[in-house]
Amino acid sequence: MSKVDLRITPSRSVLPASSEPQLLYALIELSAQSGATKMPRLPLNLCLVIDRSSSMRGERLQQVKQAAMQILDLLGDHESFALVTFNDRAEVVVSAQLARARAEIKRQISAIEAAGGTEMATGLALGVQELQRAMMPRAVHRLLLLTDGRTYGDESRCVEIARRAQARGIGITALGIGSEWNEDLLETIAARENSRTHYITSASEITKIFTAEVERMHNLFAQDVHVRIALPQQALVRSLDRVRPFIGPLPVIEETDFVWTAALGDWPESDTQALLLEIVVPPLPVGRHTLLRMSLRFRTPGSDSAIQSHEQTLPVVFRDPNEVSDNVDPTVKHWLERLVAYRLQASAWQAAEEGKLEEATRRLQMAGTRLFEAGQVELARTVQEEATRLLRSGQASTEGRKRIKYGTRGLIGREEQS
């Protein structure tokens, strides 16, 4: 049986007894327990979908080729590999096949050249087609997309293709390099469980990030991970966000009265999962009350056994208001500041698009303050610089916007690996 460390830390362990509802945050931390039984390695069915438009010429394409060959060396002989390229049209460079034909596959990879424009949808469609050709039971199916430019006129089709793939169990990692790609499109494509997007700041990082993603898929601790949160009557879940390994909202569904569920997808063993839950606590009298009952449910990779479950409760003491301090747990405060900074910058860009530049600037400045308080000094300075640029010129730099957006999520450069 897989073992999990499950810890719930409230923002305040003592609350004032009140006749009014009040807010409480709970940090939910999940980690594979040290010494847990080694999980079987599931075979990987992988397809790379690579932008080879003219802007990829030079070091970028060379690094992509090197990364693809290194990934090939990481795969076992009975794992599947495919590679699709796209510019003005899409082409299957390596059709889905067992990775053991390495020499011939590397020859095909080395022949890729950059030219033309960027039309992503057909490339995605061919990539999904290759993955479906190699579908096998008890495997991990992954599409790794990399682009450095904006696709034109086919954005909605890109999202439709991604959704069909995700519904069939294909996870998508969408990677953007440089400053010209459409981060809103990639984030929409990756806005499902088992999918994510990442900002690559320089070509030299391509190989590291590609190989790290494959290693994550090779080391799954659990699959089909779900959390179930039961609250007292009249309590309410206001939001649930993942804060580790990266920040992003998690859709929650009220399954029955006062019981909410959320899907986390697959869980690589190297990832510590942390969620920040915001709940509305109903009026409660002096005493000790259980505010949260949480269960974690998942399958062991490669196993048809019953769903495993781990449970934890959160008791909180209620006292006379005169006996209660306002101190917030420092770990919860740290992640709350990071989450608020992420939300503030997201709302700032929305305000900027609506022409509300003063409001956008104010929100960016507030995000910068939160990041300083969370110890993210370099990122906070970038936020303040872009706030000043936005107020003076009416627009932020494309690179600055991406650094802020992905920096606040923890999905930029080396920061995610820390």
Side-chain angles (χ1 to χ4, degrees):
M1 179 175 180
S2 301
K3 296 182 179 180
V4 172
D5 283 328
L6 172 56
R7 181 169 60 179
I8 305 175
T9 305
S11 53
R12 300 165 68 191
S13 58
V14 179
L15 292 177
S18 172
S19 60
E20 299 293 330
Q22 54 189 310
L23 286 179
L24 181 73
Y25 294 91
L27 179 66
I28 302 167
E29 296 174 281
L30 315 169
S31 59
Q33 196 173 94
S34 178
T37 303
K38 185 68 176 177
M39 295 298 103
R41 171 170 150 171
L42 295 180
L44 183 57
N45 175 23
L46 176 69
C47 181
L48 307 185
V49 177
I50 303 300
D51 183 344
R52 69 172 188 95
S53 59
S54 57
S55 56
M56 285 289 291
R57 284 193 185 115
E59 185 185 6
R60 286 181 184 176
L61 187 58
Q62 188 58 40
Q63 289 285 346
V64 167
K65 292 180 183 182
Q66 179 180 322
M69 293 181 189
Q70 190 158 325
I71 282 176
L72 192 61
D73 289 335
L74 292 175
L75 298 181
D77 286 350
H78 298 287
E79 294 183 294
S80 179
F81 179 87
L83 192 149
V84 170
T85 61
F86 65 93
N87 50 14
D88 300 308
R89 60 186 183 85
E91 176 186 4
V92 178
V93 176
V94 180
S95 59
Q97 59 189 276
L98 297 180
R100 62 191 176 201
R102 289 178 178 82
E104 175 57 21
I105 294 174
K106 288 182 179 180
R107 186 193 65 77
Q108 293 170 316
I109 292 171
S110 66
I112 299 171
E113 295 182 354
T118 305
E119 291 184 16
M120 186 186 297
T122 306
L124 279 175
L126 283 182
V128 172
Q129 177 179 298
E130 290 303 307
L131 286 168
Q132 290 178 161
R133 288 181 58 238
M135 281 286 200
M136 63 190 89
R138 297 185 183 179
V140 178
H141 310 287
R142 199 75 177 181
L143 187 148
L144 202 56
L145 166 71
L146 181 135
T147 184
D148 74 340
R150 290 177 175 266
T151 187
Y152 293 100
D154 61 354
E155 290 88 348
S156 60
R157 185 165 171 246
C158 288
V159 176
E160 290 170 5
I161 294 166
R163 292 294 174 267
R164 287 199 297 271
Q166 289 153 338
R168 295 167 185 165
I170 297 171
I172 298 175
T173 301
L175 306 171
I177 182 170
S179 61
E180 299 305 319
W181 49 279
N182 185 340
E183 68 268 21
D184 294 331
L185 173 60
L186 292 200
E187 286 205 337
T188 302
I189 285 173
R192 286 293 186 274
E193 61 189 89
N194 291 341
S195 298
R196 64 179 188 165
T197 180
H198 193 116
Y199 175 26
I200 302 178
T201 56
S202 68
S204 62
E205 293 186 328
I206 292 174
T207 298
K208 182 191 71 173
I209 291 173
F210 270 40
T211 54
E213 193 67 16
V214 171
E215 288 168 354
R216 290 178 73 253
M217 295 303 101
H218 270 157
N219 293 284
L220 293 184
F221 173 74
Q223 292 184 290
D224 299 330
V225 183
H226 288 74
V227 294
R228 183 176 185 271
I229 298 163
L231 302 180
Q233 287 194 2
Q234 308 310 316
L236 176 69
V237 170
R238 283 191 60 177
S239 64
L240 179 65
D241 293 86
R242 193 195 306 265
V243 293
R244 290 186 69 187
F246 58 88
I247 292 177
L250 284 169
V252 288
I253 298 171
E254 190 170 8
E255 190 178 74
T256 60
D257 288 345
F258 312 114
V259 176
W260 285 261
T261 60
L264 304 186
D266 292 344
W267 179 0
E269 187 174 11
S270 58
D271 289 353
T272 295
Q273 303 280 341
L275 318 175
L276 195 60
L277 173 69
E278 182 182 10
I279 60 178
V280 177
V281 179
L284 290 170
V286 171
R288 184 180 176 91
H289 301 275
T290 298
L291 289 188
L292 168 65
R293 296 182 184 276
M294 181 192 145
S295 62
L296 175 73
R297 299 176 181 180
F298 59 88
R299 286 190 302 106
T300 299
S303 171
D304 291 330
S305 61
I307 298 292
Q308 295 191 35
S309 179
H310 295 259
E311 298 188 357
Q312 184 68 274
T313 60
L314 176 62
V316 175
V317 174
F318 285 72
R319 292 180 181 165
D320 184 282
N322 296 324
E323 302 174 3
V324 178
S325 75
D326 293 331
N327 294 337
V328 175
D329 178 90
T331 304
V332 177
K333 182 180 179 182
H334 168 82
W335 288 113
L336 183 57
E337 287 169 345
R338 290 293 305 263
L339 177 60
V340 170
Y342 170 74
R343 290 175 174 173
L344 282 168
Q345 63 83 35
S347 65
W349 304 130
Q350 181 63 42
E353 289 174 7
E354 295 170 358
K356 302 174 183 176
L357 296 184
E358 289 187 6
E359 182 178 343
T361 300
R362 180 177 57 83
R363 291 179 182 178
L364 279 181
Q365 290 170 338
M366 292 170 64
T369 299
R370 295 282 184 170
L371 291 167
F372 270 121
E373 293 172 351
Q376 302 295 312
V377 177
E378 183 177 347
L379 182 57
R381 286 174 179 157
T382 300
V383 172
Q384 297 293 356
E385 289 169 2
E386 291 301 323
T388 301
R389 181 179 283 111
L390 183 64
L391 189 60
R392 289 178 177 173
S393 68
Q395 59 184 10
S397 69
T398 55
E399 181 180 0
R401 173 171 165 152
K402 286 178 173 63
R403 285 186 175 275
I404 292 167
K405 197 167 191 176
Y406 284 83
T408 53
R409 292 192 71 194
L411 283 171
I412 179 173
R414 295 176 178 82
E415 183 175 325
E416 184 197 310
Q417 307 304 322
S418 62

